[in-house]
Amino acid sequence: MLFNPRASLIMATTLVVLLLLLPPSLSRWTNALADPAKTLVYPISAPMHHLLAFNPLSAVSTDAEAARQAISQRDQLLTQKLALERDIDRLQQMVKDLQGGIELNPGLVVRQFTAPVLGRTSDLSSEIITVRAGRRQGVEPGSVVVSRGVNLIGRVSSREGAVRDRTCEVVAITDKAAGLINGVVMLDAQTPGPTCQLVERRRSVGPSGSTLVMLVADELTGADAMTGSFRQIEVGMTVRLQDDNWPRTAQRFVIGRIVSMESKPDNPLRRLIVVKPEIDPTRVSEVTIRWLTEAEEPRAVSPTTGGRP
Amino acid sequence: MRWPAAFFVGWIILGIDVGVATSLSPGQRALPSFALPFLVFIALHAPTIAVMWTAFLLGLFIDLTSPRAESAAVVVGPHLLGFMAAAYFVLTVRGVMLRRRIVALIVLSIPAAMLAGLVSVFVLTIRSMYPGGLGVEYSPLGELWRMVLSSLLTGFSAAFVGFVMLPLHGIFHFHDSSRRMVGMRR
């Protein structure tokens, strides 16, 4: 018998033991046997590895990762949706305001232009704001400037150089350069009450903003005694513009709301009302400039005449 | 024993051992062995010389495919001698075991794996005393602890191997010595 299993086994085992006892430098040739052995074993080990490498927990982990990404995407879309809803609300409010401004002066062909406020003058004693709209947009000196459609901010300055190609200066109603202002106290949304006249501007650089002190003019004539309007004036009532020195497009715009009432120091029988603008002209970020395109030719107002170009 | 069947099944078992053991290893510290339960299965049924040759070849292939330091030589022997010791242990005790039971395979695989691991650690410890013998720092105590854990994990892999191997018992054409003893040849 050529092959004796028992003797061969003993011989092979002895060789292995001797090989183990050899120094590493003399047994390095065994590296040559490793590659054929791997070539023989690896083809079957790789599929087994892939087969059992499929771990249901790792699949769950992948699903969890996908879920996290989906939640993140949902949050981003929700944020975008909320931003769009906010934009829609803002635009709807703008349309409403613009339409409200037009309704106050029916029959006038008014052009409106909404523009952002670039800033205010560095001089704290004045309340002049700079708006990004100028001659190129058709802005003229003396044009009325409002915010949210009906809240009077001021007028475009008539000073030379105040209206430039792309910007213009606006004199706020709380600035001394705006001059006298006459108004009317609204007893309710539709009923005008006694007229009033600006007598003083109280400046404040704080968060409360400037206020206008107005003298209730009708008391001088005694009309209030007959109509009872003097007694009807209350804090919180709205004061609207009623001044022939202002353009017709500005009439009945809101000057502000009565925040307090005082007696005139030198004449206690006369009442002073302190009016605070609904919107602080120095803190507004966007305004609407209105001007007449055909000043003396009133006609039906077209809804297409206003708005942002 | 029918050698082609043993070679084929052994080849698959080696593939599982090399490719899958790392996937099942908790923390890569202890590795379950699939080759050793297969060896125990062979040792429970096959003739002595066949069992020892099976242990020799399985151990040889595991030694040759074991990872090693890049600059070090392949160390042929630790698993080979360990598997031969384990096979001899099973050959010694198989007479008192119910060989066709998975429990027997599990019960024998754990101490057999410990014995194989012990021999392997001993051989590698001796080898590590040579300058550049293993190419890496070798900690015998750490390896012993890892060997114990691996032996316990091998109990689980023995259940899997037994579940697969016992139905395939016939393809190996083992010579049943117990039947021959009472004159019941098939």
Side-chain angles (χ1 to χ4, degrees):
Chain A
M1 189 176 181
L2 292 177
F3 179 73
N4 185 336
R6 185 181 298 270
S8 303
L9 180 66
I10 293 172
M11 196 183 306
T13 308
T14 307
L15 279 175
V16 168
V17 172
L18 289 175
L19 187 64
L20 278 172
L21 295 175
L22 285 175
S25 57
L26 295 178
S27 59
R28 201 168 290 277
W29 58 271
T30 54
N31 288 347
L33 299 176
D35 287 341
K38 288 175 182 173
T39 304
L40 196 64
V41 173
Y42 280 5
I44 188 64
S45 71
M48 293 293 176
H49 177 75
H50 289 306
L51 184 68
L52 291 190
F54 174 72
N55 186 352
L57 293 177
S58 66
V60 170
S61 173
T62 306
D63 290 345
E65 181 63 28
R68 272 194 294 275
Q69 288 180 354
I71 289 172
S72 174
Q73 194 174 16
R74 183 204 64 183
D75 291 343
Q76 289 176 0
L77 291 173
L78 186 62
T79 305
Q80 290 177 2
K81 173 180 171 286
L82 292 173
L84 287 173
E85 285 180 350
R86 189 191 59 199
D87 287 347
I88 289 170
D89 290 344
R90 186 176 60 82
L91 292 171
Q92 284 178 338
Q93 184 64 38
M94 184 185 291
V95 170
K96 188 179 172 184
D97 292 344
L98 292 172
Q99 287 176 342
I102 291 169
E103 285 169 0
L104 283 176
N105 301 285
L108 296 180
V109 180
V110 178
R111 186 164 180 207
Q112 303 183 118
F113 185 82
T114 302
V117 174
L118 296 176
R120 59 171 292 182
T121 177
S122 57
D123 182 6
L124 292 176
S125 65
S126 73
E127 295 191 354
I128 295 175
I129 57 178
T130 305
V131 177
R132 195 167 67 188
R135 268 193 293 270
R136 290 198 177 185
Q137 287 76 29
V139 176
E140 297 172 359
S143 298
V144 179
V145 178
V146 296
S147 178
R148 293 186 197 167
V150 293
N151 294 286
L152 194 62
I153 296 296
R155 271 196 289 194
V156 176
S157 175
S158 299
R159 183 180 63 82
E160 189 178 350
V163 180
R164 293 175 285 275
D165 282 348
R166 296 178 184 276
T167 62
C168 65
E169 291 180 357
V170 175
V171 181
I173 55 173
T174 50
D175 189 274
K176 60 181 183 294
L180 288 177
I181 298 174
N182 293 316
V184 58
V185 179
M186 301 299 291
L187 301 178
D188 56 41
Q190 301 292 332
T191 311
T195 59
C196 51
Q197 186 181 42
L198 180 71
V199 294
E200 182 189 354
R201 289 182 172 87
R202 290 180 182 170
R203 296 191 48 76
S204 170
V205 294
S208 57
S210 300
T211 53
L212 305 173
V213 180
M214 305 185 84
L215 178 68
V216 181
D218 283 352
E219 289 177 319
L220 293 173
T221 63
D224 62 298
M226 298 180 67
T227 61
S229 59
F230 173 75
R231 288 182 299 275
Q232 291 172 347
I233 296 175
E234 295 172 2
V235 171
M237 285 181 172
T238 302
V239 178
R240 290 180 181 268
L241 185 72
Q242 185 172 292
D243 193 332
D244 292 337
N245 292 322
W246 281 68
R248 285 186 295 162
T249 56
Q251 301 303 317
R252 295 299 168 91
F253 278 159
V254 175
I255 296 173
R257 199 170 291 276
I258 299 173
V259 293
S260 64
M261 289 186 288
E262 306 167 357
S263 296
K264 197 165 185 284
D266 57 348
N267 188 350
L269 294 177
R270 298 180 66 180
R271 299 293 293 268
L272 295 174
I273 55 175
V274 181
V275 179
K276 180 174 169 44
E278 290 279 356
I279 298 171
D280 187 350
T282 61
R283 288 184 171 81
V284 70
S285 61
E286 193 177 66
V287 295
T288 302
I289 303 174
R290 295 164 51 90
W291 64 94
L292 274 175
T293 54
E294 297 176 30
E296 303 302 326
E297 293 292 332
R299 64 182 190 189
V301 177
S302 166
T304 59
T305 54
R308 193 189 290 269
Chain B
M1 188 175 76
R2 190 179 285 164
W3 281 102
F7 279 134
F8 181 73
V9 177
W11 176 60
I12 293 174
I13 290 288
L14 274 174
I16 295 174
D17 215 56
V18 172
V20 175
T22 51
S23 299
L24 299 180
S25 168
Q28 305 293 320
R29 276 194 60 81
L31 299 175
S33 172
F34 288 84
L36 197 120
F38 174 68
L39 174 63
V40 172
F41 170 76
I42 296 289
L44 279 172
H45 302 92
T48 303
I49 291 299
V51 170
M52 297 310 286
W53 269 112
T54 304
F56 185 95
L57 293 174
L58 278 175
L60 178 67
F61 271 94
I62 288 178
D63 280 337
L64 290 175
T65 55
S66 293
R68 67 184 193 280
E70 197 167 333
S71 58
V74 171
V75 181
V76 178
H79 288 93
L80 187 152
L81 296 178
F83 273 35
M84 290 185 77
Y88 188 77
F89 163 72
V90 177
L91 286 171
T92 305
V93 300
R94 70 179 180 178
V96 295
M97 304 298 294
L98 296 169
R99 304 180 191 181
R100 295 277 184 106
R101 296 286 183 271
I102 290 181
V103 177
L105 192 65
I106 297 171
V107 166
L108 285 179
S109 289
I110 294 173
M114 285 188 181
L115 184 61
L118 201 62
V119 172
S120 175
V121 170
F122 174 76
V123 170
L124 287 173
T125 303
I126 298 293
R127 188 70 180 177
S128 66
M129 293 175 182
Y130 285 83
L134 297 178
V136 291
E137 191 176 347
Y138 189 74
S139 166
L141 283 178
E143 286 300 311
L144 278 175
W145 174 240
R146 192 179 69 87
M147 178 268 293
V148 171
L149 291 176
S150 296
S151 304
L152 296 175
L153 287 174
T154 300
F156 292 100
S157 60
F160 169 76
V161 172
F163 184 77
V164 175
M165 287 295 120
L166 287 177
L168 298 176
H169 181 271
I171 68 169
F172 294 100
H173 204 265
F174 292 126
H175 177 71
D176 197 330
S177 57
S178 61
R179 289 189 177 185
R180 190 177 59 177
M181 285 171 66
V182 294
M184 295 175 64
R185 284 182 180 274
R186 276 187 289 185

